[in-house]
Amino acid sequence: MKIAVNHLARIEGHANLVIDSVRGTVRELRLEIVEAPRFFEPMLTGRHYSDVAHIAARICGICSNSHTLVSLQATEQALGIEVSEQTQSLRRLLAFGEILQSHLVQLFFMALPDYYGEASILPLVHTERALVQHALELKKLANDILRVVGGRPVHPVTPVVGGFARLPEAADLQELRRRLVRVLPDLEASVEIFGSLDYPDFERDTDCFSLRGGDDYPLFGRQLVSSGGVDCAVEDYRDVLEEYLVPWSTAKFARLQGRCFMVGPLARLRNNFDLLSPMARQVAEALGLTPDTANPYRILAARLVEVVHGVERAIHLIDELLLAGLQAEEPLPPQRHGRAVAVIEAPRGLLFHSYSYDAQGRIEQADCLIPTAQNLANIEADLRARVPELLETGREELTRQCEQLIRAYDPCISCSTHLLTIDFA
């Protein structure tokens, strides 16, 4: 039996799935990434530090805030610029806003139709109107967090090297807080929806790679850990991570100490379960998630737990900002030049930016490592383990569950296609 799913639906970008099996054995399985390479690093090379974050944001239309924030942090560390506590809090609020925005789109608009037997969310407008209305209201709130703090929902304009070009109005933050508090009870409906889904019964343990939070569930950090025993500083990421090419992908694949691995919501949750907010931990337990959960279909549930955590933390951050009072700050100039590595827990997982700057404040060398590229080999490994279990179910059911599995990772294909050379021979 040969199955070819061209242009997988409800993921960002273009990818194909090819499965070839003979007498119950999978002979070939490929997750083909067919987007054109986009050459991120050469575009950044030679650019002045004041331009870099705005260019880096264009790598992605979904994770543009994460690319902006990690780019700013890498630049500031390389140039010896220390930002204020106020700037750090506003950036964390922006990061939570993007996690909410991205997770809600994936949960309700990309993944949920699979479990209702629909090709998209549009038929649910008629059959599950309250659910769709609920999803749209949550998504609008996330957009408004990004608009108030970052200047607009996509490709933020207010975060700059050393701080913010414009601060949010206190009244706007107060309004966001009011809406976030109001939405908390509504999230119970989301928990009921995703708690009632019939997740396929499949487990494959893998190495879960993430930041390890100090006293909070991680967004930014300096220490990388994995469930398989990796424990290293962010600066040493290239000592444990290796990118490599495969003939069927224009995106690089990645290994962690020679093995495929997982990044993203479930990996973060497994490595930082004890650091979830109280309500998020209750939701995790209600959804059957533990630090040992190894069912990749349940990445959806982990994503919802992070939505709850993000809402709670956003409320607390706004409280802290309003209590301290927003103060206008003048961004500091560079103090030195050199190399630095920064990482953020973007919605889909670890996002690395590494820059070297010359004395004129221009990038000499850039390296960007994208979450989806880190997950691609693990998705293929999951599929190789899952497909033999589904061969007897028939072509249609096998295809449906394989697509479900891929969508659970929420791959962002456009972000991941940035290799420099590839041999198609």
Side-chain angles (χ1 to χ4, degrees):
M1 176 168 58
K2 184 164 185 176
I3 295 176
V5 182
N6 293 322
H7 297 293
L8 288 158
R10 284 181 278 128
I11 61 171
E12 196 288 331
H14 300 297
N16 307 327
L17 176 63
V18 176
I19 301 169
D20 189 3
S21 67
V22 177
R23 291 186 290 277
T25 301
V26 178
R27 190 167 62 180
E28 186 174 18
L29 188 150
R30 302 191 308 271
L31 181 59
E32 297 178 339
I33 307 303
V34 295
E35 291 264 351
R38 297 174 62 211
F39 310 112
F40 307 146
E41 289 95 339
M43 283 192 284
L44 293 173
T45 303
R47 304 307 299 238
H48 190 259
Y49 73 85
S50 58
D51 297 333
V52 170
H54 299 298
I55 297 171
R58 270 64 188 178
I59 292 174
C60 186
I62 299 175
C63 304
S64 59
N65 286 276
S66 291
H67 278 286
T68 297
L69 295 174
V70 74
S71 175
L72 289 172
Q73 189 177 68
T75 292
E76 288 159 354
Q77 290 172 9
L79 300 182
I81 299 171
E82 293 190 10
V83 300
S84 69
E85 182 61 36
Q86 173 180 278
T87 291
Q88 293 178 41
S89 294
L90 285 170
R91 289 181 181 178
R92 283 196 290 271
L93 182 56
L94 199 57
F96 278 124
E98 183 169 81
I99 283 178
L100 296 179
Q101 182 194 57
S102 178
H103 280 8
L104 290 165
V105 168
Q106 200 278 335
L107 285 168
F108 286 98
F109 298 88
M110 303 295 192
L112 202 57
D114 284 327
Y115 292 86
Y116 281 76
E118 301 289 356
S120 77
I121 197 171
L122 292 179
L124 301 183
V125 172
H126 304 290
T127 60
E128 303 288 344
R129 195 169 187 83
L131 182 154
V132 175
Q133 184 68 31
H134 172 67
L136 290 172
E137 289 175 358
L138 291 174
K139 173 68 166 55
K140 184 176 189 314
L141 174 57
N143 281 0
D144 287 342
I145 294 173
L146 299 178
R147 179 182 54 77
V148 167
V149 182
R152 55 188 184 187
V154 178
H155 299 141
V157 291
T158 60
V160 295
V161 174
F164 276 77
R166 180 176 62 79
L167 295 175
E169 298 291 335
D172 290 335
L173 290 178
Q174 289 168 348
E175 173 62 14
L176 284 180
R177 187 192 186 282
R178 186 185 66 77
R179 292 170 60 192
L180 285 162
V181 170
R182 192 178 64 191
V183 86
L184 271 175
D186 294 343
L187 287 174
E188 291 181 13
S190 299
V191 175
E192 290 180 9
I193 292 167
F194 285 90
S196 66
L197 299 183
D198 184 17
Y199 297 99
D201 185 16
F202 168 68
E203 289 192 346
R204 190 187 71 85
D205 205 4
T206 189
D207 207 356
C208 292
F209 191 41
S210 74
L211 284 170
R212 170 62 186 173
D215 54 3
D216 197 1
Y217 199 77
L219 283 175
F220 304 94
R222 306 306 305 169
Q223 200 67 21
L224 297 162
V225 299
S226 84
S227 56
V230 172
D231 189 346
C232 71
V234 167
E235 290 77 9
D236 300 327
Y237 75 108
R238 281 298 179 190
D239 292 343
V240 295
L241 279 172
E242 174 198 6
E243 289 183 287
Y244 62 99
L245 303 178
V246 295
W248 55 89
S249 169
T250 54
K252 292 177 182 175
F253 281 39
R255 304 184 186 99
L256 179 66
Q257 293 190 331
R259 305 183 301 272
C260 65
F261 61 102
M262 174 194 287
V263 297
L266 186 57
R268 281 192 292 262
L269 183 142
R270 287 184 55 168
N271 292 340
N272 296 278
F273 195 88
D274 58 318
L275 297 175
L276 287 168
S277 68
M279 185 178 293
R281 188 185 292 202
Q282 288 179 14
V283 170
E285 291 168 356
L287 293 173
L289 294 172
T290 74
D292 298 320
T293 296
N295 182 343
Y297 291 98
R298 288 188 175 271
I299 298 174
L300 270 63
R303 201 167 279 125
L304 181 59
V305 170
E306 290 194 336
V307 168
V308 175
H309 180 89
V311 169
E312 279 196 285
R313 289 295 293 124
I315 292 170
H316 293 154
L317 280 169
I318 292 174
D319 284 344
E320 292 166 9
L321 286 162
L322 292 175
L323 185 63
L326 292 168
Q327 304 292 329
E329 299 172 332
E330 194 66 29
L332 296 172
Q335 304 298 306
R336 61 172 185 263
H337 68 277
R339 175 181 178 271
V341 180
V343 64
I344 186 173
E345 283 285 3
R348 291 161 186 77
L350 293 168
L351 171 60
F352 296 86
H353 279 219
S354 172
Y355 304 149
S356 293
Y357 277 97
D358 65 17
Q360 285 70 49
R362 294 185 181 279
I363 284 191
E364 295 177 310
Q365 189 175 24
D367 182 30
C368 302
L369 183 50
I370 311 299
T372 291
Q374 297 171 66
N375 272 333
L376 289 174
N378 205 64
I379 297 173
E380 281 196 346
D382 279 349
L383 290 167
R384 287 195 183 93
R386 183 58 173 154
V387 167
E389 299 177 355
L390 298 171
L391 287 174
E392 300 299 322
T393 64
R395 180 183 294 267
E396 185 176 346
E397 179 62 15
L398 187 153
T399 303
R400 187 182 72 82
Q401 290 207 27
C402 286
E403 290 191 54
Q404 266 184 292
L405 179 55
I406 294 167
R407 274 194 282 274
Y409 281 85
D410 191 19
C412 185
I413 303 300
S414 299
C415 258
S416 67
T417 52
H418 69 132
L419 55 82
L420 297 178
T421 58
I422 185 167
D423 181 4
F424 282 103

